[in-house]
Amino acid sequence: MNSSVQIQIPLPYFITSPSDEILFSNDVFHEYVLTSAENKKVYDIFETWEEFKKGQIIRTVVNGKSCVFLKTKMKETQHFFYIGTFSYDLLSLIDELKEAHRLNRELDAIIENSYDGIYITNKEGVTIKTNSAIERITGIPKEYYIGKKVDYLQKRGILQDSVTEKVLEKKRTVSLVQLNYLGRETLLTGNPIFNEKGDIEGVVTNIRDLSELNELQEALRQANELNETYKKEIDRLKRNREDELDVVVKSKKMKLIYDTATRIVNVDATVLILGETGVGKDVLARYIYHNSERRFKGKFVKVNCGAIPPELLESELFGYEGGAFTGASAKGKKGLFEMAEKGVLFLDEVGELPFNLQVKLLRVIQEREIQRVGGTQTKKIDVRIIAATNRDLKEMVKRGQFREDLFYRLNVVPIHIPPLRDRKEDILPLVELFLQNVNKKYGKQKKMDPELKNFFYHYHWPGNIRELSNLIERIVLVNRDPLLKIHHLPTEYQNGKTGHTNIQTLKEAVEQAEKNILIAASKKCKTTYEMAEALQTSQPTIVRKLKKYNITMND
């Protein structure tokens, strides 16, 4: 190749051997690659080498610059001649061709993997494409259809009626039901393909086996039933995540407790969780439920036995029949035991349960059956009971305030959670966890000074974990400084920085005030009915409160 030829061809070109080694290239090519290319492999020169049309068109990139080469074989030498162009129009066409190939592959995959039979004809009714599903539906190989007109298939008895001809005639979607070659009922739906001028240039026909559709409908019905089950489980898991409190297990005592809980998650024995207010009894109860098989079958239902008036607690627990009492729904109502079917019923503050309901609870545990208020028939239940209290049930048994037989029924697996002050290893991890949660909840980025952490560690926490969580949320919200320090603590904590000041919790203050009022009323009133009238509450509530605070009416 002489220089005169190079001048006549102002385009980059090069010649390679059959092994893709560059033997010769012109100056324009050198300007393109900016390096000596002779005796090098093409793959060592180009950053990108994409072949199209079986290698006849190559798109290359060197130094961020694109070029398209056409490849020709030189018959005399068996070498290959490549000539290129930097035309952006040609590059754009190649990119469009590449995208068209990708879309064709996707379309072929969609058609081939369709469960329904698909065949596509041109405007003359000649089949140009089918998929494998047509073989399953008609029993005839898909290759048989290619190149054949629908009227020929009708003559052979493969089709009784042509939906393609009806589409071409009516120029709209047409559906019809007919027996196929195997005598199976099929639904054929033909859809016209219009060009830019609005003329039909082809028809896409979808074939569905109606017998299979009926089977699918039955399968769908069963799947919907199963889906409802899964939906309920997902909703339950979502509620679990929303309700679930964070668990920190660092101390040896808590590790032993949660190890014990893990061993009995799938045992239906009754669990009694003991501990002060705020130590995390409900968290442990939920942990047992979340890690048991019952979470897939039933709900976790919590009832605070001390928060519901005694006269309503029985109907809440066991439900009632229609018209059982004044104001009752005519349809009746499920109780919490029925709502917890296959799941767990968590009886919080079980020590507050009225004496008459203790008898009924004992019967439920023994007989595994309940009877609604106002009802005459019993109903079997499958509910695991987890109870919790901050009171000393043994002492209540001695005083006659709690049934001894019920105590032993509840006390099958007793778990005592120690107060936070007795497991200091858990305090700082809990501080970090609560601070992280509050920051995330309110979009904050607060941090804690080491001195403040030291206060948290040495404070005695009469309100336990609940007090710790509430205090962290409080100081994060009311202080603007990004770094929380000891002076950010509320005044009542400032006065007891060393942790030895006994700060009364809100619950303790309320109970003390309630006790003082009851003592004063018992001195002025002769009966519990008079006390109930004076304090504007019910007589059973007065009786229960007097027992709770061990107050005796004056003679």
Side-chain angles (χ1 to χ4, degrees):
M1 189 69 64
N2 55 43
S3 59
S4 64
V5 176
Q6 294 187 42
I7 295 174
Q8 293 174 5
I9 306 178
L11 298 173
Y13 69 82
F14 60 94
I15 299 173
T16 66
S17 67
S19 60
D20 295 326
E21 182 180 353
I22 298 177
L23 302 177
F24 179 81
S25 59
N26 68 346
D27 293 338
V28 182
F29 180 78
H30 291 162
E31 294 176 2
Y32 171 51
V33 300
L34 299 178
T35 184
S36 176
E38 276 69 17
N39 301 321
K40 293 183 180 179
K41 297 284 189 179
V42 293
Y43 308 110
D44 297 331
I45 297 296
F46 298 100
E47 299 168 7
T48 300
W49 180 276
E50 292 182 314
E51 296 184 353
F52 302 93
K53 291 290 185 179
K54 298 181 180 179
Q56 294 178 346
I57 301 175
I58 302 94
R59 181 179 181 273
T60 65
V61 177
V62 174
N63 300 318
K65 190 174 182 182
S66 299
C67 184
V68 178
F69 286 92
L70 301 179
K71 177 182 177 182
T72 304
K73 190 172 184 180
M74 304 172 68
K75 296 182 180 180
E76 298 82 1
T77 61
Q78 299 300 311
H79 294 162
F80 293 98
F81 179 77
Y82 295 80
I83 184 167
T85 178
F86 298 107
S87 170
Y88 290 105
D89 291 337
L90 187 55
L91 289 170
S92 178
L93 288 175
I94 289 178
D95 289 338
E96 290 180 10
L97 177 63
K98 184 178 178 181
E99 178 66 12
H101 286 168
R102 186 188 67 80
L103 292 175
N104 281 335
R105 287 195 302 271
E106 289 185 1
L107 182 60
D108 288 342
I110 292 171
I111 292 174
E112 179 60 25
N113 289 285
S114 171
Y115 185 77
D116 292 342
I118 294 177
Y119 70 83
I120 304 172
T121 62
N122 59 20
K123 62 182 180 180
E124 284 78 27
V126 177
T127 306
I128 57 177
K129 194 173 189 62
T130 62
N131 67 348
S132 297
I134 204 168
E135 296 185 17
R136 185 191 76 251
I137 297 173
T138 65
I140 299 174
K142 65 177 183 178
E143 291 80 8
Y144 179 82
Y145 293 90
I146 303 300
K148 294 183 175 63
K149 297 188 68 171
V150 290
D151 55 358
Y152 171 80
L153 297 175
Q154 285 181 273
K155 292 178 182 178
R156 293 295 306 271
I158 296 174
L159 296 177
Q160 289 187 357
D161 199 358
S162 172
V163 70
T164 302
E165 291 183 351
K166 294 183 181 295
V167 171
L168 293 172
E169 176 186 346
K170 298 182 179 182
K171 296 185 178 182
R172 60 175 175 81
T173 299
V174 177
S175 296
L176 57 87
V177 176
Q178 64 176 230
L179 297 178
N180 65 10
Y181 187 71
L182 298 176
R184 297 170 66 91
E185 190 176 55
T186 56
L187 172 65
L188 284 77
T189 301
N191 293 280
I193 305 172
F194 295 100
N195 59 20
E196 294 83 354
K197 298 179 180 180
D199 298 325
I200 295 179
E201 60 181 17
V203 177
V204 177
T205 300
N206 180 279
I207 308 174
R208 177 168 297 181
D209 191 329
L210 291 182
S211 60
E212 291 184 355
L213 180 61
N214 294 333
E215 295 171 0
L216 287 174
Q217 286 178 335
E218 176 61 23
L220 179 61
R221 185 189 64 78
Q222 297 176 3
N224 284 336
E225 293 179 357
L226 187 60
N227 184 55
E228 282 299 314
T229 302
Y230 290 152
K231 183 179 178 181
K232 291 179 181 178
E233 175 58 22
I234 291 172
D235 290 340
R236 183 161 56 251
L237 292 176
K238 286 182 178 178
R239 289 195 302 271
N240 291 345
R241 285 196 298 271
E242 293 169 356
D243 297 340
E244 186 177 7
L245 298 177
D246 296 298
V247 179
V248 170
V249 182
K250 295 293 183 181
S251 63
K252 292 182 179 179
K253 293 179 180 179
M254 292 303 291
K255 287 180 180 178
L256 180 61
I257 287 172
Y258 275 85
D259 181 62
T260 301
T262 301
R263 291 199 300 271
I264 55 95
V265 291
N266 288 317
V267 179
D268 283 342
T270 304
V271 180
L272 179 61
I273 305 175
L274 305 168
E276 295 180 5
T277 299
V279 294
K281 298 186 290 294
D282 56 341
V283 174
L284 180 60
R286 292 180 188 277
Y287 175 86
I288 294 172
Y289 168 74
H290 291 163
N291 290 276
S292 71
E293 294 298 324
R294 284 186 175 269
R295 74 186 188 277
F296 299 114
K297 303 174 184 177
K299 298 179 181 179
F300 179 91
V301 178
K302 176 182 176 180
V303 54
N304 190 319
C305 300
I308 303 176
E311 57 270 20
L312 299 179
L313 187 56
E314 182 179 5
S315 61
E316 287 295 319
L317 285 174
F318 305 106
Y320 59 83
E321 296 293 348
F325 51 85
T326 303
S329 170
K331 297 181 180 179
K333 179 184 176 182
K334 281 186 177 181
L336 296 176
F337 272 101
E338 291 182 75
M339 292 173 61
E341 177 67 15
K342 302 293 184 181
V344 169
L345 180 64
F346 178 44
L347 298 173
D348 196 12
E349 296 189 25
V350 70
E352 307 296 331
L353 197 67
F355 206 81
N356 63 315
L357 290 186
Q358 293 179 23
V359 179
K360 289 200 170 187
L361 178 60
L362 177 64
R363 182 174 182 274
V364 171
I365 297 175
Q366 290 176 333
E367 306 296 335
R368 293 290 172 181
E369 61 183 22
I370 62 168
Q371 182 174 333
R372 288 185 176 184
V373 176
T376 58
Q377 296 181 344
T378 59
K379 180 179 180 180
K380 288 290 183 182
I381 58 166
D382 178 13
V383 176
R384 184 179 189 181
I385 295 176
I386 300 178
T389 183
N390 60 356
R391 303 187 66 181
D392 187 345
L393 292 186
K394 286 186 178 180
E395 184 62 29
M396 293 179 66
V397 170
K398 290 180 182 179
R399 296 201 304 262
Q401 297 175 341
F402 201 87
R403 291 184 62 96
E404 184 177 16
D405 47 4
L406 177 59
F407 169 73
Y408 288 113
R409 284 289 184 179
L410 295 175
N411 200 45
V412 177
V413 182
I415 300 178
H416 181 268
I417 302 179
L420 192 56
R421 59 184 173 273
D422 292 341
R423 45 187 174 103
K424 288 186 175 295
E425 300 97 318
D426 294 329
I427 293 178
L428 292 184
L430 282 168
V431 169
E432 294 293 337
L433 182 61
F434 292 150
L435 180 61
Q436 177 183 348
N437 290 347
V438 173
N439 278 334
K440 182 178 179 181
K441 180 179 179 181
Y442 297 106
K444 306 289 185 180
Q445 294 182 339
K446 300 294 181 68
K447 295 183 180 180
M448 280 194 183
D449 181 76
E451 186 181 0
L452 180 57
K453 291 184 179 180
N454 186 59
F455 165 82
F456 283 127
Y457 182 80
H458 289 97
Y459 188 67
H460 62 286
W461 299 114
N464 293 292
I465 296 176
R466 188 174 297 130
E467 181 184 6
L468 173 61
S469 174
N470 291 343
L471 178 58
I472 291 176
E473 186 169 8
R474 179 178 175 183
I475 62 176
V476 167
L477 292 179
V478 301
N479 294 291
R480 295 181 178 180
D481 298 340
L483 181 63
L484 300 174
K485 297 184 178 182
I486 195 77
H487 67 268
H488 290 123
L489 288 169
T491 304
E492 60 268 27
Y493 290 92
Q494 292 280 349
N495 296 333
K497 291 179 183 177
T498 59
H500 299 296
T501 301
N502 185 19
I503 300 175
Q504 191 178 40
T505 65
L506 179 61
K507 181 178 180 180
E508 290 172 343
V510 171
E511 289 180 343
Q512 185 61 48
E514 189 177 62
K515 182 177 180 180
N516 293 338
I517 293 173
L518 290 170
I519 291 174
S522 67
K523 293 179 180 179
K524 295 182 179 180
C525 301
K526 295 182 179 180
T527 66
T528 55
Y529 289 95
E530 287 185 17
M531 285 184 64
E533 183 176 359
L535 298 178
Q536 297 184 5
T537 186
S538 65
Q539 188 267 350
T541 299
I542 294 295
V543 174
R544 179 168 61 87
K545 295 291 185 180
L546 292 176
K547 288 183 178 180
K548 176 180 179 180
Y549 298 114
N550 199 22
I551 300 172
T552 304
M553 292 286 297
N554 290 336
D555 295 331

